[in-house]
Every structure is written in structure tokens, then in C-alpha cells.
Amino acid sequence: MLRAACLSLALLLAAGAARAGDAAAGRKRAVACQTCHGMDGLSKLPEAPNLAGQVEPYLVKALTEYRDGTRRNEIMNVVAKELSDADIANLAAYYGGLQIEVLPPG
């Protein structure tokens, strides 16, 4: 049973690695996102969320839902419509890989 569990985990990890995006390609694609979300992933507009430090699966899910229209935002639905699966994976890898420091209020 332990052997089967280890094999299942290895297969899941391999599948995740195969879908992993290219952060360098995502950085190039993020130029179009910088007006609202910034190249550093820190929002430049009050209504736009910070993307730096978000986990990749969340970013992939959100961008895919914007592209497919299952998640609604007037601007994001238009922008995401042109993204390929690879673009989404790359953007998620880029923004998900940006490190942020969270400090307590002081």
C-alpha cells in the first residue's frame, strides 16, 4: 500500500512539473499587465489585486476562468480572452514566483 501511495505521489508531482510555466516567458508577457498589476506584482490601481506571492494554481484558475468567462470582470475578461494555456501557465509562474515580505502593522 505504501508503494502505491508513493507511486501516486510521484505521478502527481511529475504531472505538475510538466504543466509548470516558464517564469521568464511570463515576465515578458506581464508587460501587458503592468499598468494595473505592476511588473513587481504590486497593484498600481486600488481595484486591481496584488499578484506577487499568489500561488500558481490560484493564478492559473483565475486567469482560465476570466478567459472562459466563468469569472466576470469587465477588463480581465477582455484581456484574458487572448491568453493561451501556455501564457496562463507562464504568467502564473512569473507572478507566483515573486517574493513579498509581509510585515505586521507598526
Side-chain angles (χ1 to χ4, degrees), residues 13-79:
L13 291 174
R19 288 188 303 243
D22 177 349
R27 187 182 195 318
K28 289 178 185 172
R29 191 71 162 102
V31 169
C33 310
Q34 71 181 335
T35 300
C36 299
H37 299 288
M39 285 304 292
D40 59 359
L42 300 176
S43 175
K44 306 306 179 208
L45 302 173
E47 62 275 1
N50 292 327
L51 300 180
Q54 294 285 352
V55 294
E56 283 185 56
Y58 169 76
L59 292 168
V60 168
K61 182 179 186 307
L63 286 170
T64 301
E65 289 175 350
Y66 283 129
R67 180 185 64 191
D68 298 344
T70 56
R71 189 172 191 169
R72 305 294 306 155
N73 177 278
E74 188 176 331
I75 295 169
M76 285 304 301
N77 291 131
V78 172
V79 172

Side-chain angles (χ1 to χ4, degrees), residues 75-97:
I75 295 169
M76 285 304 301
N77 291 131
V78 172
V79 172
K81 192 174 213 163
E82 303 302 318
L83 297 176
S84 68
D85 287 343
D87 290 334
I88 289 173
N90 295 342
L91 285 165
Y94 172 66
Y95 280 117

